[in-house]
Amino acid sequence: MDIQMSELRIVESELGISVDVLVGAIEDALLHAYHRVPGAIGQARVELDRTSGKATVWAVEFDDDGEPAGEFDDTPNDFGRIATSTARSIIAQRLRDAEADRVLGSFKGKQGTIVSGVVQAAPPRSNPEDIYVNVGEHEAILRKDEQVPTERFRHGDRLRAYVTDVSVGHRGATVRLSRSHPELVRRLFEAEVPEIEGGDVEIVALAREAGHRTKLAVWSADESINAKGACIGQHGQRVRAVMEELGGEKIDIVDYDDDPALFIGASLSPARVTQVDILNADARQSRAVVPDDQASLAIGKEAQNVRLAAKLTGWSIDIRKESEMAAARAEAAAARRAEEAAAAAELDDSAEYDDDFDESDDTEN
């Protein structure tokens, strides 16, 4: 049984998919099927006759010296049935792809971007905690676990959200949104800061606790560009625009540095850090020393600031007050002096014993 070329031409005329593209896909699939046949030749190709629809496997023939000497027909006996089944499978897949393109429309490739929409009334029998958003051609869904706990939206409100997934199911296209995803912040800054959009400034790392605080580490290969300043904007207007979009969520923008000590120190902004000690580079453990009046700021409410700094840098950070470190140094110094005094006393006792021993020897003599 041969492939019906007329079916491929119908697909070409109705869907605009070239016969050459379909034939190429079928030949590739048939070659894969041929290589699963016992005794198949490794160097082979499949040729589909554009007129008759007959599929032929041409395998390379070698001479006595192991050099290619031509091709021979190595088409398996039952290959016609396999070819027909494969062709129908390829056509069905192309039809599904075309239907997906039709259903998705302009939303094809929108995953990972930001879209705007209007909050709609929830459909009957849906989860009342989910939010449905009209985004133009489709209705998108903002699930409860993708919402920000501090935000409330009502019917008719406009919102912007990050597209986490676009797929096609039995009921058409499904567009899933998120307001809590860290990438939402990245995309908002890309839209607000031309230097990021143009590639002059890079967001190297980002840590977020949605609705509360985000930390952003930025960098530029161009030394003439102030990466942090570009993101903040004149009079803070750029970062303020992003904060307003996020409902007042606080945003700390810090300079990224390849030196982990400098990066860790910057990540604890807005706290002022005196010094950072790398305790174990392999385990990525560090200690940050801060003035006593900066300790609560460095740690943050419910340890939020230090927790976000750890996420941003990828290092565990132990916060210590200057007074604690001074007390520890004084205690260590006192212990060291005590050890030195004990060692000196032991040395004196040993010297006195040696003197007494010498005197007793003199007396006996």
Side-chain angles (χ1 to χ4, degrees):
M1 185 184 292
D2 298 325
I3 294 171
Q4 298 296 319
M5 295 301 295
S6 59
E7 293 181 4
L8 302 188
R9 293 190 177 92
I10 290 172
V11 173
E12 180 181 48
S13 62
E14 292 187 356
L15 300 180
I17 302 173
S18 168
V19 166
D20 290 337
V21 172
L22 291 170
V23 167
I26 293 170
E27 287 176 341
D28 288 343
L30 287 176
L31 183 60
H32 183 69
Y34 163 74
H35 281 142
R36 294 201 301 269
V37 175
I41 306 299
Q43 295 186 39
R45 64 184 179 88
V46 174
E47 182 179 53
L48 185 63
D49 190 294
R50 265 51 169 190
T51 303
S52 65
K54 182 180 179 179
T56 305
V57 177
W58 295 103
V60 176
E61 187 174 14
F62 297 91
D63 59 21
D64 294 338
D65 296 326
E67 296 296 325
E71 294 179 321
F72 67 96
D73 186 343
D74 194 38
T75 307
N77 292 331
D78 198 27
F79 210 57
R81 181 185 60 79
I82 296 174
T84 301
S85 174
T86 300
R88 287 175 178 168
S89 176
I90 293 292
I91 291 172
Q93 182 60 52
R94 295 293 179 174
L95 288 172
R96 286 193 293 271
D97 292 344
E99 177 63 10
D101 289 346
R102 185 192 66 79
V103 173
L104 293 177
S106 64
F107 260 79
K108 183 181 180 182
K110 286 277 189 178
Q111 184 173 333
T113 65
I114 290 179
V115 295
S116 300
V118 179
V119 175
Q120 302 295 295
R125 296 185 298 279
S126 62
N127 187 337
E129 294 186 320
D130 293 339
I131 296 174
Y132 290 82
V133 183
N134 185 335
V135 290
E137 299 176 56
H138 304 290
E139 188 173 67
I141 185 169
L142 180 62
R143 297 283 189 194
K144 173 66 176 178
D145 57 356
E146 294 289 353
Q147 298 173 27
V148 177
T150 57
E151 292 182 335
R152 295 291 181 270
F153 292 104
R154 295 176 297 179
H155 181 247
D157 286 349
R158 294 195 64 85
L159 62 78
R160 298 169 74 188
Y162 179 76
V163 181
T164 60
D165 182 62
V166 179
S167 58
V168 177
H170 297 299
R171 297 183 179 179
T174 300
V175 180
R176 298 186 184 279
L177 306 178
S178 176
R179 285 280 299 174
S180 60
H181 202 290
E183 287 300 303
L184 172 63
V185 181
R186 185 188 298 273
R187 296 290 178 257
L188 289 172
F189 269 101
E190 286 175 356
E192 200 67 39
V193 182
E195 291 86 347
I196 295 178
E197 178 69 22
D200 295 318
V201 172
E202 178 187 352
I203 298 176
V204 180
L206 190 154
R208 185 185 185 201
E209 291 190 1
H212 300 287
R213 196 178 210 99
T214 288
K215 284 185 180 288
L216 209 68
V218 296
W219 173 85
S220 176
D222 188 341
E223 295 183 356
S224 67
I225 296 177
N226 182 341
K228 182 176 172 181
C231 294
I232 293 172
Q234 189 174 15
H235 305 302
Q237 68 180 72
R238 290 176 176 175
V239 68
R240 198 159 47 240
V242 176
M243 291 171 63
E244 289 175 1
E245 178 59 43
L246 298 175
E249 184 174 315
K250 293 181 176 64
I251 298 177
D252 298 329
I253 303 174
V254 304
D255 289 315
Y256 170 78
D257 201 292
D258 287 332
D259 184 332
L262 294 177
F263 186 26
I264 292 165
S267 73
L268 289 166
S269 173
R272 181 163 47 86
V273 178
T274 305
Q275 73 179 65
V276 174
D277 301 316
I278 302 301
L279 304 178
N280 187 324
D282 293 334
R284 299 180 74 83
Q285 296 174 340
S286 69
R287 176 177 60 215
V289 182
V290 300
D292 287 25
D293 62 350
Q294 296 285 299
S296 60
L297 191 61
I299 296 170
K301 185 178 180 182
E302 298 178 355
Q304 184 187 73
N305 194 60
V306 68
R307 186 169 58 248
L308 281 173
K311 287 181 182 179
L312 186 74
T313 61
W315 286 73
S316 66
I317 306 172
D318 180 26
I319 304 294
R320 294 292 179 182
K321 297 178 181 178
E322 287 182 342
S323 61
E324 291 176 339
M325 296 303 295
R329 285 194 296 271
E331 185 177 342
R336 189 167 56 254
R337 286 194 298 271
E339 288 178 1
E340 291 171 352
E346 185 177 347
L347 188 62
D348 289 344
D349 290 343
S350 177
E352 289 178 7
Y353 175 79
D354 289 342
D355 291 342
D356 291 343
F357 185 77
D358 291 341
E359 289 176 4
S360 65
D361 283 349
D362 291 342
T363 303
E364 290 177 0
N365 290 334

